[in-house]
Amino acid sequence: MKVLVIGGDGYCGWATALYLSNRGYEVGILDSLVRRHWDNELGVETLTPIAPIHQRTQRWKDLTGKTIDLFVGDITNYEFLQKALHKFEPNAIVHFGEQRSAPFSMIDREHAVMTQVNNVVGTLNLLYAMKEDFPECHLVKLGTMGEYGTPNIDIEEGYITIEHNGRKDTLPYPKQPGSMYHLSKVHDSHNIHFACRIWGLRATDLNQGVVYGVLTEETGMDELLINRLDYDGVFGTALNRFCIQAAIGHPLTVYGKGGQTRGFLDIRDTVRCIELAIANPAESGEFRVFNQFTEQFSVGDLAMMVKKAGNAMGLNVEVNNLDNPRIEKEEHYFNAKNTKLLDLGLQPHYLSDSLLDSLLNFAVKYQNRVDKNQILPKVTWHRK
Amino acid sequence: MKVLVIGGDGYCGWATALYLSNRGYEVGILDSLVRRHWDNELGVETLTPIAPIHQRTQRWKDLTGKTIDLFVGDITNYEFLQKALHKFEPNAIVHFGEQRSAPFSMIDREHAVMTQVNNVVGTLNLLYAMKEDFPECHLVKLGTMGEYGTPNIDIEEGYITIEHNGRKDTLPYPKQPGSMYHLSKVHDSHNIHFACRIWGLRATDLNQGVVYGVLTEETGMDELLINRLDYDGVFGTALNRFCIQAAIGHPLTVYGKGGQTRGFLDIRDTVRCIELAIANPAESGEFRVFNQFTEQFSVGDLAMMVKKAGNAMGLNVEVNNLDNPRIEKEEHYFNAKNTKLLDLGLQPHYLSDSLLDSLLNFAVKYQNRVDKNQILPKVTWHRK
């Protein structure tokens, strides 16, 4: 089976491409490499030194004998997209190719507009390209748990059955996204749902939680295959950032009260979830939504877990509750369903002290690469 | 009170601008005039000969002594938008300035992408401009009843209280839009809701039904103030098109079975609804949704009403059920709430034989301007 991983040079995409390649899928990577450009713009570097994509794929071939086709270009360029699809002829498309940082999308109007236009147009182009020439191809699209916001009722997997005034229907789950980036994912979900309904395309929307960890079986095989790991205030995510902060003696940056509860998962589960989605495709005309996370934690709880694990390693870890740069509920109900991927066979890697040790050890190993000026949040959701 | 009408050269926008000006509001029109350009592109003309916008506003001033400021430009150009806002300093912004045709948005990928980018970026620009310098200004945004689709439960006004697994919350009403255009309005609604929540802006989303009619008290004052009336397969809407078809002896074009039920309203009610929204603004931080229609009809029922009224006028009216170019449910439950505008004082003009006579007479008057080649639908929702 041929799988095109769009955004295959990124944090989740690279690990996914190698995982699928290792399991016998014919893998292509399509990436504009703009993420590396944004690192340059922001003046940040991943904790880990990541090799150029051409070196990475070459190293993978040298090590395993497996080829990963490479298409460097932007899916907002429809001509390029069409050419790449016709050259590769995928059976499934895994779409990580979007601007994925909430703070980046909230920098200013330009970044908000860029995020929404880039993400929405890229996905629209994919839908049209599939409609025209690859209607049987299965689109596996990365959504986000952030599409749901924090409703006071249980979060279902994409749809909810509503009884109202004596009648009943199963409808798309109401969305309350929390940033211009999260909004772009909601727009995508609506567009993809429509394309499935009217053109009979097949798609799986993976509403993913916050991913942590860096090593998978494949990225750990060689230093040249190492995955990126972001810790900066714009692209860094909660648990990864906390571990790096602990490693370098920087207080853990908990935004506000830290009661914000979210779904989390190990990057080794991300790659497995993608495979499960591909191996069990959506039906023609079906827009399927999986909630892709394994455990729920509050941000404050995570910080305490990192502190405890860090202390056990001899690190002196402090927790710092910052003024929350975001506007979000800091204490709320949160109970999201995540049975669909488990039903397909997912066996989660649960967060544990040993895992924290591993991530912490990794962070300690590369601590000399950390630029402390990049850790604190610089982007605010507030009006002035 | 100063009201800026974006899209004030269009079908609803022009009638609204005159209505508000006539009632003592200080009115500005901002319009890119791109709709006139699209008419040229498609090779269609409105049934009614509409004068250039500069002539229209000049005639209004000559007749009434009232000035309407004019800003010709595109709100996707942020610099232009900011300058216009700072020059006019509106207390309320009525935003009709979007690509508003479902078939136009479904012509091909280019028109779909253009519609979503144009509509979403224009509204995002407005939100940022308001956030920066006009946070107290009230945004009155034209949404559409098409955002809801055709759920099997009653449609509430923007929000629904859901009980689920023993808990309760009031959440955004689930959306199931029916075209790339309708999707753009859903994206807008999410973006505006977010801006109200996080920046404390005030906005009213008017989910409007299908508007019919052409004359308001103001547009009927002088031939140079006449409103546009579209009958073509791309920009024409159901009842207006039926009346024009009846007038020229063309069979009424009912798509599919004609059981599609929608909300409708008279253009005289559109302009009054806008005034009611402006005169009773949303609170700071409030994202308010009104369903703006007065009656529900099935398309087939409308055709029969036009046939009956036409026959009474001596016209020979046939009804033709075409293959439906759209993909939509042709028989379905539809019951939408519309009490909020009534509570504010709306006194509807109900559809009646006399109204049909009036619209029919109007259509007969201008029948020599109809290009019959433009009546049938040329855009299809189907994959091939």
Side-chain angles (χ1 to χ4, degrees):
Chain A
M1 184 189 263
K2 302 185 78 168
V3 184
L4 185 65
V5 182
I6 299 177
D9 187 42
Y11 172 55
C12 293
W14 174 242
T16 299
L18 293 193
Y19 181 85
L20 295 175
S21 177
N22 210 20
R23 267 147 203 80
Y25 292 88
E26 289 181 68
V27 174
I29 284 177
L30 188 158
D31 201 302
S32 70
L33 310 183
V34 72
R35 181 68 177 81
R36 293 173 186 255
H37 173 66
W38 289 332
D39 277 358
N40 292 336
E41 259 188 26
L42 296 169
V44 299
E45 283 189 298
T46 151
L47 178 79
T48 43
I50 55 169
I53 184 67
H54 302 81
Q55 277 185 34
R56 288 170 136 189
T57 49
Q58 184 60 50
R59 183 69 188 135
W60 178 247
K61 188 174 181 183
D62 294 344
L63 269 178
T64 64
K66 294 168 195 295
T67 300
I68 292 180
D69 290 342
L70 190 59
F71 303 90
V72 176
D74 197 318
I75 61 170
T76 62
N77 175 347
Y78 191 64
E79 199 179 337
F80 158 76
L81 173 64
Q82 272 194 317
K83 277 187 193 161
L85 291 180
H86 279 281
K87 198 156 179 193
F88 188 70
E89 299 196 322
N91 306 109
I93 296 172
V94 181
H95 179 19
F96 288 105
E98 299 204 336
Q99 193 301 91
R100 64 98 172 143
S101 159
F104 191 84
S105 76
M106 296 298 293
I107 291 174
D108 56 17
R109 187 193 65 85
E110 285 77 8
H111 287 80
V113 168
M114 189 281 281
T115 297
Q116 292 204 1
V117 170
N118 178 74
N119 293 3
V120 169
V121 172
T123 300
L124 274 178
N125 280 352
L126 260 181
L127 295 172
Y128 271 93
M130 289 171 65
K131 171 201 173 222
E132 292 300 325
D133 294 316
F134 302 92
E136 292 307 318
C137 184
H138 176 209
L139 176 62
V140 177
K141 167 66 166 54
L142 270 292
T144 164
M145 288 298 295
E147 294 186 34
Y148 299 114
T150 51
N152 195 43
I153 59 173
D154 293 343
I155 295 171
E156 301 296 331
E157 300 197 65
Y159 299 89
I160 184 168
T161 298
I162 301 174
E163 287 199 49
H164 183 58
N165 297 347
R167 299 182 60 88
K168 192 192 267 195
D169 202 357
T170 298
L171 296 170
Y173 196 95
K175 303 292 179 78
Q176 298 181 105
S179 75
M180 290 292 178
Y181 151 72
H182 291 101
L183 283 157
S184 76
K185 295 282 193 175
V186 173
H187 306 341
D188 280 339
S189 294
H190 282 290
N191 285 346
I192 303 170
H193 191 183
F194 176 75
C196 292
R197 286 204 315 268
I198 64 151
W199 297 328
L201 301 186
R202 55 180 88 224
T204 304
D205 208 10
L206 298 175
N207 283 351
Q208 186 169 241
V210 184
V211 185
Y212 59 80
V214 58
L215 290 186
T216 61
E217 188 185 326
E218 293 78 21
T219 64
M221 282 169 67
D222 188 284
E223 186 105 21
L224 266 176
L225 300 180
I226 205 167
N227 204 4
R228 70 178 306 132
L229 193 63
D230 301 308
Y231 62 88
D232 64 278
V234 171
F235 280 99
T237 49
L239 184 58
N240 283 350
R241 193 177 62 230
F242 289 165
C243 288
I244 292 161
Q245 290 169 334
I248 65 165
H250 189 289
L252 311 191
T253 48
V254 171
Y255 298 170
K257 294 177 185 167
Q260 306 93 318
T261 301
R262 300 289 186 268
F264 289 82
L265 77 164
D266 189 303
I267 193 165
R268 293 172 295 177
D269 292 339
T270 289
V271 299
R272 172 67 175 147
C273 288
I274 304 289
E275 189 194 10
L276 287 169
I278 293 169
N280 303 276
E283 298 293 321
S284 180
E286 183 185 11
F287 177 69
R288 191 173 62 168
V289 183
F290 295 162
N291 291 345
Q292 181 164 309
F293 70 94
T294 58
E295 293 176 282
Q296 294 183 178
F297 299 104
S298 79
V299 173
D301 286 344
L302 277 184
M304 294 316 294
M305 291 166 78
V306 172
K307 180 179 167 67
K308 188 179 157 198
N311 290 345
M313 286 175 63
L315 298 168
N316 179 24
V317 183
E318 286 177 27
V319 176
N320 198 349
N321 286 73
L322 306 183
D323 284 344
N324 194 345
R326 306 186 180 209
I327 295 178
E328 59 187 353
K329 289 182 194 159
E330 293 177 1
E331 287 173 344
H332 57 84
Y333 181 76
F334 193 83
N335 184 34
K337 304 296 173 63
N338 63 343
T339 58
K340 290 191 180 175
L341 283 159
L342 296 171
D343 290 345
L344 290 178
L346 176 64
Q347 295 182 304
H349 295 82
Y350 291 113
L351 187 63
S352 66
D353 286 1
S354 69
L355 175 70
L356 285 175
D357 285 352
S358 153
L359 187 48
L360 279 169
N361 279 321
F362 203 86
V364 169
K365 177 174 174 187
Y366 288 99
Q367 60 173 296
N368 64 322
R369 288 176 48 90
V370 173
D371 176 357
K372 291 190 182 184
N373 292 322
Q374 296 294 349
I375 289 180
L376 291 178
K378 293 169 185 166
V379 180
T380 174
W381 270 234
H382 295 267
R383 196 160 81 201
K384 293 285 178 189
Chain B
M1 185 190 266
K2 302 186 77 169
V3 183
L4 184 66
V5 182
I6 299 177
D9 187 42
Y11 173 55
C12 291
W14 175 242
T16 298
L18 293 193
Y19 182 86
L20 294 176
S21 177
N22 209 21
R23 266 148 202 80
Y25 293 87
E26 289 180 69
V27 175
I29 284 177
L30 187 158
D31 202 301
S32 70
L33 309 184
V34 72
R35 181 68 176 81
R36 293 172 185 255
H37 174 64
W38 290 331
D39 278 358
N40 292 336
E41 258 189 25
L42 295 169
V44 300
E45 282 188 301
T46 152
L47 179 79
T48 44
I50 54 170
I53 184 67
H54 302 82
Q55 277 185 35
R56 289 170 134 188
T57 50
Q58 184 59 51
R59 183 69 188 134
W60 179 247
K61 187 173 182 183
D62 294 344
L63 269 177
T64 65
K66 294 168 196 294
T67 300
I68 292 179
D69 290 341
L70 189 59
F71 303 89
V72 175
D74 197 318
I75 60 170
T76 62
N77 176 346
Y78 191 64
E79 199 179 337
F80 159 76
L81 173 63
Q82 272 193 316
K83 277 188 193 160
L85 291 181
H86 279 280
K87 198 155 180 196
F88 188 69
E89 299 195 323
N91 307 108
I93 296 172
V94 182
H95 180 18
F96 289 104
E98 299 204 338
Q99 194 300 93
R100 64 97 172 144
S101 159
F104 192 84
S105 75
M106 295 298 293
I107 292 174
D108 56 18
R109 186 193 66 86
E110 286 76 7
H111 287 79
V113 168
M114 188 281 279
T115 297
Q116 292 204 2
V117 170
N118 178 74
N119 293 3
V120 169
V121 172
T123 300
L124 273 178
N125 280 351
L126 260 180
L127 295 172
Y128 271 93
M130 289 171 64
K131 170 201 173 220
E132 292 300 324
D133 295 315
F134 302 92
E136 292 307 318
C137 184
H138 176 208
L139 175 62
V140 178
K141 167 66 166 53
L142 269 292
T144 164
M145 289 298 294
E147 293 185 35
Y148 299 115
T150 51
N152 194 44
I153 59 173
D154 293 344
I155 294 171
E156 302 295 331
E157 300 197 66
Y159 299 89
I160 184 168
T161 299
I162 301 175
E163 286 199 50
H164 183 58
N165 298 346
R167 300 181 61 87
K168 192 192 266 195
D169 202 358
T170 298
L171 297 170
Y173 196 95
K175 302 291 179 77
Q176 298 180 106
S179 76
M180 290 293 179
Y181 151 72
H182 291 100
L183 282 157
S184 77
K185 294 282 195 176
V186 173
H187 306 341
D188 281 340
S189 294
H190 282 291
N191 285 345
I192 302 170
H193 190 183
F194 176 75
C196 292
R197 286 205 315 268
I198 65 153
W199 296 328
L201 301 186
R202 56 182 87 223
T204 304
D205 208 10
L206 298 175
N207 283 351
Q208 187 169 240
V210 185
V211 186
Y212 59 81
V214 59
L215 290 186
T216 61
E217 189 184 324
E218 293 78 21
T219 64
M221 284 169 67
D222 189 283
E223 185 104 22
L224 267 177
L225 300 180
I226 205 167
N227 204 2
R228 69 178 307 133
L229 194 62
D230 301 307
Y231 62 87
D232 64 278
V234 170
F235 281 99
T237 50
L239 185 57
N240 283 349
R241 193 177 62 228
F242 289 165
C243 289
I244 291 162
Q245 290 168 335
I248 64 165
H250 189 288
L252 311 191
T253 48
V254 171
Y255 298 169
K257 294 177 183 166
Q260 306 93 320
T261 302
R262 300 287 185 271
F264 289 81
L265 76 164
D266 189 303
I267 193 164
R268 293 172 296 178
D269 292 339
T270 289
V271 299
R272 172 67 174 146
C273 288
I274 304 288
E275 189 194 11
L276 287 169
I278 293 169
N280 303 277
E283 298 294 320
S284 180
E286 185 185 9
F287 176 70
R288 191 172 63 166
V289 183
F290 295 162
N291 291 345
Q292 181 164 306
F293 70 95
T294 57
E295 293 176 281
Q296 294 183 180
F297 298 105
S298 78
V299 174
D301 286 344
L302 276 184
M304 294 316 294
M305 291 166 78
V306 173
K307 179 179 167 68
K308 187 179 158 198
N311 290 345
M313 286 175 65
L315 297 169
N316 179 25
V317 183
E318 288 177 25
V319 176
N320 198 350
N321 287 73
L322 306 182
D323 284 345
N324 194 345
R326 306 186 180 208
I327 294 177
E328 59 187 352
K329 289 181 193 159
E330 293 177 1
E331 287 173 343
H332 57 85
Y333 181 75
F334 192 83
N335 185 34
K337 303 295 173 61
N338 62 344
T339 58
K340 290 191 180 175
L341 283 158
L342 296 170
D343 290 346
L344 291 178
L346 176 66
Q347 295 183 304
H349 295 82
Y350 291 113
L351 187 62
S352 65
D353 285 1
S354 69
L355 175 70
L356 285 175
D357 286 352
S358 153
L359 186 49
L360 279 168
N361 279 321
F362 202 86
V364 169
K365 178 175 174 188
Y366 288 100
Q367 60 174 296
N368 64 323
R369 288 177 47 90
V370 173
D371 177 357
K372 292 190 181 183
N373 293 321
Q374 296 294 349
I375 289 179
L376 292 178
K378 292 169 185 166
V379 179
T380 175
W381 269 234
H382 296 267
R383 195 159 81 200
K384 293 286 178 190

